[in-house]
Amino acid sequence: MKKFSVAFLLLCLSGTVTSQTFEDTFEKYSSNFISERIHFHFDKTSYAVGDTIWFKAYLMKGISPEVESKTLYVDWSDANGKLIKRTSWPILEGATFGQLAIPLDFNSNAIEVKAYTKWMLNFDSSFLYNKYINILSTATAKSEVKIIPQLHLFAEGGNLIEGLNTKIAFKATDQFGRPIEVSGDVMEDGKKVSQVTSVHDGMGAFYVQPQPGKKYSLRWKGPAGETHETKFPEVEKSGLLLRVTGTKENRVFFVQASGTDVAKSVRIIGTMFNQPVFNIQRDLTDGITQGSIPVNELPSGILTITVLNENYQPLAERITFVNNNEYSFTPQFEVEYWGMNKRARNEVIIEIPQHFEANLSISVTDAEIDFNDDNTIISELLLSSELKGKIHNPAFYFRNKEDSTANFLDLVMLTNGWRKISWTDIAAGKLPEIKFPLENEYNTVHGRIHGAMPNQLANAGSLIMIVNQKDEKEFIAAPIKPDGSFRAEDFILMDTATVYYQLPKDRIPPTSIVQFLGSQVPIAPGSNLPPAVPQPADTTGASRHLQFADEIAGLLKLEKAKVLETVTITAKTKPELEKMDEKYTTGMFSGGTATSFDLVNEKSASAYKDIFSYLQGRVAGVVITMTDPPTVTWRGGTPAFFLDEMPVDVQLLTTVPVTNIAYVKVINPPFLGAAGGGTNGAIAIYTRRGDDEKAAAPGVGLPKNTVIGYTMIRKFFSPDYLLGGDEDSRDVRTTLYWNPEVVMKDGQNRVKLTFYNNDISESFRIVIEGMTKSGQMAHVVKIME
């Protein structure tokens, strides 16, 4: 995490040097125990059965994108907490994306999304990403539930002390966490002393100066006019009061102690994202100290102000939001080609400022379906991900710069829990226990070899593997370490795969056992959310959305029972070798002068030990000597070797069964695709694919194992009606376009995106979210009509 530019605060405001133990432990804590925060951009606000939920997740640590954690875990459950699916996704430079297909038989009014990294499980589970996604249906649209109002009181700084005039904030909600407006009376020993009213989203505040021996409560009326009574927090006979006020540029603190044994001096520490931003030591004069802290050079976010006594024990704590408006950037949006008619083409231009590098996601939906913009990437990563409990409409606090909005945001600060540092542990030199180390490597094929001596393992070389995934094969070599462990670096394992492997010949005993290890998926704690909100009475947007979603679901059910007819296309036949070259080769490997071999249609090829014994004597000028490994020369030098156009060595090629090879291309020198200009030519080997009629099982004859990788990422289907379309079927897609992979760099700050209308939309809603490499965020909503 970048260091905050507040060194001047530390120099100007610090008093005497803190205890070395406290200072050292706090430094280790703030450097090594920063948790991550997550935001999801979904293509739509709500879904229906049969829909696919498309998402992109953005992760931050401190004030920058998270670049260390490599795996995001996402648990999908119904509204009752029953797990639907557990998924995992690779994180690249602070972002990942994926999807979930909602089953046609799904029967719940919501899907709960819980997302986390392993590192996040070391900290308070209240800060894991948690969200309900509404699932529309005719059954839930008519639900009516009795509202149960509730109200909570919060003393500023955490303490209510006899004789000290203290600010008390309150928050009134229903059982689903939605705000309700209330009014009431402050009661002292059953007598009214003042009147209060909520001023924004069920929140408000008032002052009270508790008197010895008195009992206090708030008597209030709910939305139906019913009377409730909430007792005040416990009144303490002695303690410390912390009051924080201020302007955009400063925060003014006022500290007052009551009681002679509370503290004679205090240390006031400010932290943001668990990082220290100021450290002040003050003596209490007549029990009081106060001061002003400049905040205009701090990053935007929640500033936690903690007051400690001489023994570094916490006495009071308060959070306040710093908004310096440096956190955002605005991608420019321009429509280059309008197409509002049925299945018409649209082209839009997205542009970011020069010298920016940004990672964006873009959704285009029907503008008339339901839409909720209450929580954006900005409000999530700066506000709601840092607080406990449900924040209603957090995006509201970032839509303008009015003083009233800042005052309302301060009520949010007063009425919600926050990330807390255990100052008692810090003072004792104790750091948090780490049960889940930071997962800084991608999920790949890895494991351990048992049954070999250390001296055999030390010079064993590599474990040769064929990873077979849904007719796609990858040949990889994993170096074997002296302890027997192996790991396929630079390979990300997706989905379920069958791994065929071969131990190094004459180096490791053939009786050795190869154990493949899977990624240990952690079990996240239960939900932090209040119950899922029942669907409200029908709205125009939800009704339109549900109408078309039902039509799509009907088509999907019909598709499951539909028998496809066979279509035969007659075309001019190309020579087999030409077809093989077009099928397998790309770039510099395609065409050119070469001697090629089709092993799919050559039955006798399977009789050869390896590809070199097959090629021996078949290509003029190529001399192959069958040693171990074979030596190959052409024009006095060694040609380059490629397996599926990846450079390999001779040893690896000898492990590939001939029955698994489809095509061989011996390319005449010079071959520019090889290092050094390929002055001795190249031999390119291509393995069989699933559609090769005579393909043999990959790795036939080799031991195998099944491994599980990341959840497979699907590509969003966006039709291209320039190529035609089925006029007999209706296109009622409500998501017209979804692209989570818009990466823009310096010099490439402008991108054109094309999408096609459906048969029913007359206007589009475009939502753009994203983040720069420096942590600035974007949220843009545009309507095309």
Side-chain angles (χ1 to χ4, degrees), residues 246-251 294-296 322-325 401:
T247 64
K248 176 178 172 54
E249 293 78 18
N250 298 284
R251 291 295 180 271
V295 297
N296 55 337
V322 175
N323 190 346
N324 287 318
N325 296 297
K401 301 176 183 178

Side-chain angles (χ1 to χ4, degrees), residues 265-276:
S265 66
V266 293
R267 181 169 297 279
I268 305 172
I269 297 178
T271 56
M272 299 185 76
F273 311 113
N274 284 2
Q275 297 281 285

Side-chain angles (χ1 to χ4, degrees), residues 124 376 494 652:
D124 190 338
T376 69
M494 302 296 297
L652 177 60

Side-chain angles (χ1 to χ4, degrees), residues 10-11 13 43 52 86 145 162 188 236 332 456 484 518 534 584 589 591 593 610 650 661 671 707 716 731 775:
L10 296 170
L11 292 173
L13 301 178
D43 65 304
T52 296
R86 171 163 289 156
V145 178
E162 285 184 2
E188 182 183 80
E236 302 173 18
Q332 298 303 306
Q456 294 172 317
Y584 285 96
F589 290 87
T593 305
D610 56 35
V650 170
I661 297 174
F671 175 56
V707 294
F716 179 82
D731 182 352

Side-chain angles (χ1 to χ4, degrees), residues 77-149:
S77 307
D78 66 15
N80 296 318
K82 181 180 179 181
L83 185 67
I84 304 168
K85 191 172 184 180
R86 171 163 289 156
T87 58
S88 62
W89 313 88
I91 302 168
L92 179 62
E93 295 188 358
T96 187
F97 53 89
Q99 73 293 316
L100 176 77
I102 305 173
L104 287 168
D105 59 355
F106 184 72
N107 185 24
S108 182
N109 70 323
I111 288 179
E112 181 191 355
V113 184
K114 182 189 292 292
Y116 49 93
T117 65
K118 282 187 178 179
W119 180 249
M120 293 172 69
L121 295 178
N122 294 302
F123 309 102
D124 190 338
S125 63
S126 301
F127 299 101
L128 304 183
Y129 178 89
N130 244 165
K131 177 184 173 67
Y132 281 123
I133 298 175
N134 291 334
I135 304 300
L136 301 172
S137 75
T138 53
T140 57
K142 299 176 182 178
S143 300
E144 292 186 8
V145 178
K146 181 181 178 181
I147 297 301
I148 303 174

